[in-house]
């Protein structure tokens, strides 16, 4: 019996299979119910009592070795199948880190959330636009400097096509496609031909809001602005409106909020004035309503637009605009707790 086991041990040790079928044949030969090892197990009964211990140990050794060997061969075939020599190429080299939401997305979502509670719904439009939707339909005069190549990126082969310089273009797309009541908020990326520095970039993000209905007044606008400022920057925030000019609104204003960094006392951020500008706004110019198929004798509206980078700077004091587009995870991680 011992000799038989020794013989099988040698066989098993030298076992070799060049494909899965051969391996299966080996498994049947040695490990199946009627295989060589089980046959020996059956003979074990006849072994003399004083030899049982030694033979039993040898038999177990044989069985374990056969199982290990078959498993090892099997594994080898499986790895050979993907041609990677035992290396699992689907395994990531480093544990994957969970990303964080971008600060501009955090602030954009906050702005959207505030306006959504006031009944505004989101509208979007293309970033590659035509002159009509960005300028002409918004009452820009033929010779307005914004139309200049120095401010706007035009598509060389087609001077009518450009990268939108503001999200006000979405206003025109919505007005031409629908009738009041219109109450929309348009977040998006805009492009301007600016030299890149810590305070300017050739692209940035804006949120535009537009409300058109019967009897919409400046008072409505002011109330929404005040609510927005308090929700965004805290209940103590004050606002002030300064007269301004935009081709698409009349009257137009720029809105300042009391500096949320020094609380209005004056600091380098607000240039010691206690106020910081955050957005442009006004009553939609009747010319714009009419140009976009809305009867200005029946309807009126207000509009406002702000830069998301600016609001984010105010909330989080990011001193260099370029940080927003560098994707440095050390910077991005700082906003982990903000949402
Ligand atoms: N489109 C303006 C800009 O890019 C911002 C703006 C000002 C939008 C006044 C408005 C508005 O809707 O009423 O500077």
């Amino acid at each position: 019996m011992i000799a038989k086991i020794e013989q099988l041990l040698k066989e098993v040790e030298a076992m070799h299979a060049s494909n899965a079928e051969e391996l299966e044949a080996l498994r049947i030969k040695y490990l199946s119910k009627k295989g060589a090892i089980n046959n020996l197990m059956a003979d074990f009964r006849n072994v003399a009592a004083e030899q049982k211990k030694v033979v039993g140990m040898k038999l177990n050794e044989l069985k374990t070795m056969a199982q290990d060997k078959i498993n090892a061969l099997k594994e080898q075939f499986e790895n050979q199948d993907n041609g990677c020599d035992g290396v699992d190429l689907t395994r990531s080299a480093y544990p994957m880190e969970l990303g964080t939401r971008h600060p501009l997305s955090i602030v954009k979502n906050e702005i959207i959330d505030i306006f959504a509670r006031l009944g505004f719904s989101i509208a979007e439009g293309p970033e590659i636009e035509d002159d009509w939707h960005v300028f002409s339909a918004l009452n820009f005069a033929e010779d307005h400097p914004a139309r200049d190549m120095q401010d706007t990126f035009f598509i060389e082969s087609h001077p009518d096509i450009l990268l939108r310089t503001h999200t006000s273009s979405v206003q025109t797309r919505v007005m031409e496609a629908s009738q009041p009541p219109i109450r929309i908020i348009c977040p998006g990326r805009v492009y301007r031909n600016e030299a890149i520095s810590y305070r300017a970039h050739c692209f940035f993000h804006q949120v535009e809001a537009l409300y058109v209905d019967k009897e919409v007044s400046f008072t409505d606008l002011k109330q929404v602005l005040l609510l927005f400022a308090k929700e965004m920057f805290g209940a103590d925030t004050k606002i002030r409106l300064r007269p301004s000019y935009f081709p698409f609104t009349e009257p137009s204003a720029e809105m300042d909020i009391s500096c949320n960094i020094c609380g209005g006392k004056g600091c380098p951020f607000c240039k010691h004035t206690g106020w910081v500008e955050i957005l442009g706004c006004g009553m939609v110019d009747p010319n714009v309503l009419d140009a976009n198929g809305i009867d200005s004798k029946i309807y009126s509206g207000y509009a406002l637009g702000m830069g998301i980078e600016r609001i984010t700077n105010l909330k989080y004091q990011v001193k260099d605009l370029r940080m927003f587009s560098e994707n440095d995870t050390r910077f991005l991680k700082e906003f982990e707790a903000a949402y």
Side-chain angles (χ1 to χ4, degrees):
M1 180 100 179
I2 289 276
K4 244 186 188 170
I5 297 175
E6 294 286 1
Q7 165 66 24
L8 283 179
L9 270 170
K10 271 197 206 117
E11 278 182 42
V12 165
E13 193 159 23
M15 209 152 61
H16 173 80
S18 43
N19 56 43
E21 286 85 58
E22 280 183 33
L23 179 64
E24 178 62 5
L26 288 173
R27 192 193 63 78
I28 291 169
K29 182 171 174 197
Y30 293 103
L31 285 173
S32 67
K33 246 188 186 163
K34 292 190 176 149
I37 295 175
N38 252 2
N39 285 344
L40 281 180
M41 295 275 188
D43 290 346
F44 188 65
R45 273 186 274 136
N46 310 325
V47 173
E50 67 276 12
Q51 283 196 333
K52 270 209 155 91
K53 194 173 170 198
V54 183
V55 175
M57 273 164 61
K58 269 272 173 239
L59 249 180
N60 273 340
E61 189 192 336
L62 173 64
K63 194 169 180 188
T64 315
M65 189 197 240
Q67 264 161 354
D68 287 353
K69 189 82 194 204
I70 297 248
N71 285 345
L73 286 171
K74 200 168 154 196
E75 216 165 275
Q76 196 181 320
F77 285 137
E78 277 167 3
N79 288 332
Q80 257 171 14
D81 275 354
N82 59 23
C84 310
D85 251 355
V87 179
D88 179 0
L89 294 182
T90 60
R91 237 180 100 179
S92 58
Y94 305 101
M96 267 193 253
E97 270 192 72
L98 206 57
T100 50
R101 194 154 282 166
H102 194 281
L104 293 178
S105 299
I106 297 171
V107 170
K108 178 186 79 177
N109 289 343
E110 256 182 89
I111 298 170
I112 290 174
D113 194 52
I114 295 168
F115 279 92
R117 277 185 271 141
L118 294 169
F120 286 76
S121 51
I122 297 176
E124 282 177 332
E127 291 177 18
I128 303 170
E129 261 292 7
D130 50 33
D131 175 279
W132 172 257
H133 291 97
V134 177
F135 297 129
S136 298
L138 285 165
N139 204 33
F140 277 77
E142 256 328 298
D143 56 355
H144 193 283
R147 291 175 182 244
D148 200 303
M149 294 276 277
Q150 263 138 34
D151 292 314
T152 304
F153 288 115
F154 289 91
I155 307 296
E156 227 161 31
S157 58
H158 205 311
D160 190 44
I161 307 294
L162 46 97
L163 295 178
R164 68 179 179 195
T165 55
H166 54 182
T167 43
S168 306
S169 57
V170 185
Q171 279 191 28
T172 58
R173 289 210 167 258
V174 171
M175 283 193 272
E176 74 186 2
S178 49
Q179 282 296 308
I182 293 171
R183 201 185 309 211
I184 49 152
I185 178 154
C186 328
R189 181 174 285 186
V190 300
Y191 301 83
R192 287 187 201 173
N193 193 0
E194 302 251 10
I196 296 169
S197 73
Y198 74 97
R199 42 187 238 131
H201 212 298
C202 59
F203 65 80
F204 57 100
H205 301 79
Q206 288 187 331
V207 174
E208 183 89 10
L210 172 73
Y211 178 36
V212 185
D213 205 344
K214 286 179 185 150
E215 293 170 19
V216 177
S217 71
F218 203 92
T219 324
D220 299 323
L221 169 62
K222 209 172 158 188
Q223 197 55 41
V224 162
L225 291 173
L226 181 63
L227 185 127
F228 170 72
K230 284 178 182 286
E231 289 289 308
M232 198 71 202
F233 295 102
D236 296 336
T237 311
K238 293 182 186 59
I239 65 167
R240 84 175 178 189
L241 294 172
R242 284 178 290 102
S244 184
Y245 172 78
F246 299 103
F248 36 90
T249 42
E250 182 60 37
S252 306
E254 275 168 313
M255 180 172 99
D256 298 339
I257 58 163
S258 49
C259 179
N260 72 321
I261 292 164
C262 60
K265 286 190 208 71
C267 69
F269 194 85
C270 59
K271 299 197 184 80
H272 302 283
T273 62
W275 296 95
V276 280
E277 186 212 314
I278 65 160
L279 56 77
C281 60
M283 300 307 293
V284 182
D285 193 305
N287 286 344
V288 172
L289 293 174
D290 291 331
N292 290 290
I294 291 174
D295 190 342
S296 64
K297 288 190 209 63
I298 305 176
Y299 296 107
S300 57
Y302 64 70
L304 59 103
M306 68 189 99
I308 302 180
E309 277 82 350
R310 175 131 188 96
I311 307 282
T312 310
N313 280 352
L314 265 169
K315 280 205 90 150
Y316 299 111
Q317 283 104 64
V318 179
K319 297 210 171 64
D320 188 336
L321 259 185
R322 291 168 294 195
M323 305 278 283
F324 289 128
S325 49
E326 276 166 358
N327 272 342
D328 184 333
T329 49
R330 289 167 303 179
F331 169 71
L332 298 175
K333 281 254 175 226
E334 289 187 34
F335 299 88
E336 212 167 11
Y339 65 96

